[in-house]
Amino acid sequence: MEIVYVYVKKRSEFGRQCNFSDRPAETNVDIHPDPSQAANFIERDPIDAAIQCASDMSEHEVNTERFEMENEGVNHLEGGWPKDVNPLEMEQTIRFRKKVEKDENYVNTIIQLGSLMEHCIKQNNAINIYEEYFDDEETADVADEPPSAKTINVFRDPNLIKRTATHLSWHPDGSKKLAVAYSSLEFQRSSKDMSYESYIWDLENPNKPELVLRPSSPLVSLEYNPKDSHILVGGCYNGQIAYWDTRKGGQPVELSTVEFSHRDPVYGMIWLQSKTGTDCFSASTDGQVLWWDIRKLTEPTEILVMDISRKGVLENALGAIALEFEPTMPTKFMVGTEQGVVITCNRKAKTPAEKIVGTYSGHHGPIYALARNPFFPKNFLTVGDWTARIWSEDSKESSIMWTKYHMAYLTDGCWSTIRPAVFFTTKMDGTLDVWDFLFKQNNPSLSVKVCDEPLFSLRLQDNGRFIGCGSKLGTVTLLEVSSGLCTLQRNEKNVATAMFERETKREKILEARHREMRLKERTKAEGKEEDVKVETEEEKPEELLARVQQEFFEIIEAEIRRKERAAKLSRAQAKEVTDENEDEDPYKEE
């Protein structure tokens, strides 16, 4: 298409017309040399001249223009209806449909479209364009490259007073966003000017958070709803529960009442598998686990006190820090406590006492992370004090595998979502450790120094390639691991299964041996007590007195005999010494 622009202007307004033509050169000025000036010329000797070997370079600065990105949403409404029909009214739409279906043009159109639709359906039935041809094949071995990780992005707390990034949550659809909860967990260290805000970051724009969440108290935990990516639920420092709808802005849609909330910070929040997708439960160091429906946060739907004596006394409850829930086992969940004990619970039990099923003890301090293996749910990982431990549900006496005791305290950990033998841990010295126990058991396969301040939180993306690490100063570092750490190896599931089963069997044998030894010691101790009781019952007081006197005199006589022997021995040694001195004296014969 030819584009023509017509200038609507008078010829006089264009100015004088330029007419160019070729012509020979003209001499305007000709200055002849003056020989008399040569006498005034003075030669300079010596001459200093600076020579630069390198070529001259020019330097200039350019400040590129920064574009700020903003997200804008559009709400689409159902269209195609006449103006007099309200699409939200069911009766009007049904009446209009019946009216259209009686029209002859409608029937003819449906018949014409039917043949086309039938052809497409037959084509889809003949060829599946989404078919995975090599789905059953084993994954090819990845090239033997050393494990590595590189930093992709860094998200910093935009406030002047830095807070700890206490919890991370990936967006469930595509994982292009990361929700981060910020709060200061150091008791009575928080400043009056400290911000309560938490943020949702877009991975492609680290300069400015996409959405600012404004709770009534700093958020300690924050989780996306896996069924509805617009909904988030958070646990506050003051014990309240709040939920957000990102379509409605940064203010919480609803907040739980203080009277029915936790009394301590809410360290754990997990969504439950339900038909409505609105059920979740929370855990706190006040010793309670509360179930909630976000449609009605006025009070919890259910309460469980973490009292392992099964009496339900809140004063005896263990403070909960970590929560674990596996959707494939909807009735079971696990709680990691401040006292280093893992409590397994059954939600569907009839009484509160029956809901606490059992305990696993093995850590010297609080359990900061608790996660089931996504491939083998019977095995779970705990992170606390200076070690990470792998447990089996069948072995309650001890963990089946554990790491060495580190010099720095461990703060968080999680399993790989792709490889069953890989898990990640963070430490107080700012290091991220990647463990592959099929490759190494004594040391991590990869240690990455992420930052100088302590790392506090860790979250792995569903594809197993990207890891978010939150630090004490509110810096969230996004790392990408090498393909070998996020690609399933050949026969890895079978080898991991064999290792878990072997270690579980070994622990069971050791447990049986320890039980047997304890039983023998108990039987021995009980036997001695019974012998003493029989002797005391049979002896009369006079006989007992005579026996005690006899034993007393026998001890005294034995002591006297020992002293006499010692005195004789000392005298004999003294005599031998004097005899030796007399033999050695040279002046004795003279």
Side-chain angles (χ1 to χ4, degrees), residues 137-174:
E137 294 290 329
E138 288 285 342
T139 308
D141 288 336
V142 182
D144 293 334
E145 59 174 344
S148 61
K150 59 181 180 180
T151 303
I152 300 297
N153 227 329
V154 178
F155 306 92
R156 304 185 190 279
D157 185 3
N159 294 285
L160 293 175
I161 302 174
K162 303 301 179 186
R163 305 157 297 158
T164 304
T166 53
H167 199 87
L168 312 176
S169 180
W170 288 98
H171 192 278
D173 298 336

Side-chain angles (χ1 to χ4, degrees), residues 191-230:
S191 170
K192 292 181 180 178
D193 301 328
M194 185 174 288
S195 173
Y196 287 0
E197 296 174 348
S198 291
Y199 307 107
I200 296 176
W201 296 92
D202 188 341
L203 300 188
E204 297 177 356
N205 183 20
N207 301 318
K208 182 182 177 183
E210 184 183 87
L211 183 64
V212 180
L213 305 178
R214 296 181 174 87
S216 58
S217 175
L219 287 178
V220 180
S221 55
L222 184 64
E223 282 291 341
Y224 268 109
N225 188 336
K227 287 191 173 181
D228 187 352
S229 59
H230 298 289

Side-chain angles (χ1 to χ4, degrees), residues 229-276:
S229 59
H230 298 289
I231 304 296
L232 296 98
V233 67
C236 300
Y237 188 80
N238 65 353
Q240 288 182 288
I241 308 297
Y243 94 90
W244 283 264
D245 188 338
T246 55
R247 294 165 293 193
K248 297 182 180 179
Q251 296 294 336
V253 178
E254 194 170 348
L255 198 66
S256 65
T257 53
V258 177
E259 309 89 71
F260 296 103
S261 302
H262 290 283
R263 303 175 186 178
D264 278 0
V266 182
Y267 285 96
M269 285 295 309
I270 290 184
W271 290 95
L272 291 167
Q273 291 285 93
S274 61
K275 294 180 181 178
T276 58

Side-chain angles (χ1 to χ4, degrees), residues 340-558:
V341 178
V342 177
I343 304 174
T344 57
C345 306
N346 185 2
R347 190 191 172 193
K348 296 300 180 183
K350 294 180 181 178
T351 62
E354 293 175 356
K355 288 182 179 180
I356 296 177
V357 178
T359 59
Y360 300 84
S361 301
H363 285 281
H364 308 300
I367 295 174
Y368 290 112
L370 174 62
R372 287 187 186 271
N373 191 307
F375 298 89
F376 311 108
K378 275 194 171 184
N379 301 101
F380 57 93
L381 172 75
T382 59
V383 173
D385 53 67
W386 299 271
T387 60
R389 295 175 177 269
I390 299 173
W391 303 74
S392 171
E393 283 189 348
D394 301 330
S395 175
K396 294 192 176 183
E397 296 282 332
S398 171
S399 52
I400 60 172
M401 297 171 70
W402 53 88
T403 65
K404 65 178 182 180
Y405 278 81
H406 296 275
M407 297 301 292
Y409 216 71
L410 269 66
T411 54
D412 204 352
C414 68
W415 287 101
S416 170
T417 54
I418 304 298
R419 293 191 55 192
V422 174
F423 63 92
F424 305 86
T425 58
T426 53
K427 295 188 294 189
M428 289 286 281
D429 60 359
T431 306
L432 168 70
D433 287 340
V434 184
W435 293 82
D436 182 356
F437 57 76
L438 295 184
F439 177 61
K440 273 186 191 177
Q441 286 86 30
N442 299 327
N443 293 301
S445 302
L446 175 65
S447 289
V448 182
K449 181 72 172 175
V450 179
C451 55
D452 294 327
E453 67 262 22
L455 291 176
F456 198 91
S457 52
L458 171 72
R459 200 64 180 267
L460 185 69
Q461 205 178 29
D462 289 339
N463 61 12
R465 181 175 289 273
F466 298 104
I467 312 168
C469 301
S471 74
K472 188 177 179 181
L473 297 181
T475 302
V476 178
T477 307
L478 184 64
L479 297 108
E480 181 183 6
V481 297
S482 57
S483 58
L485 292 172
C486 59
T487 306
L488 190 66
Q489 306 293 314
R490 187 184 297 276
N491 294 328
E492 183 174 354
K493 288 184 181 179
N494 298 331
V495 176
T497 304
M499 181 173 278
F500 282 142
E501 289 177 354
R502 185 187 71 223
E503 295 298 324
T504 305
K505 189 177 180 181
R506 180 181 64 84
E507 281 301 322
K508 283 183 178 178
I509 293 170
L510 289 175
E511 285 177 16
R513 178 65 178 155
H514 289 158
R515 278 198 298 268
E516 186 180 340
M517 291 172 64
R518 285 198 297 268
L519 184 61
K520 282 183 180 179
E521 289 176 2
R522 196 180 302 120
T523 308
K524 206 174 187 180
E526 289 175 357
K528 284 183 180 179
E529 290 176 0
E530 287 176 1
D531 293 342
V532 172
K533 285 181 181 177
V534 169
E535 289 177 2
T536 52
E537 287 175 0
E538 290 178 354
E539 285 184 332
K540 294 180 181 179
E542 296 82 7
E543 294 175 354
L544 179 62
L545 182 61
R547 184 172 63 79
V548 171
Q549 285 179 351
Q550 184 182 353
E551 290 177 357
F552 175 72
F553 287 120
E554 285 176 356
I555 292 170
I556 291 176
E557 289 175 1

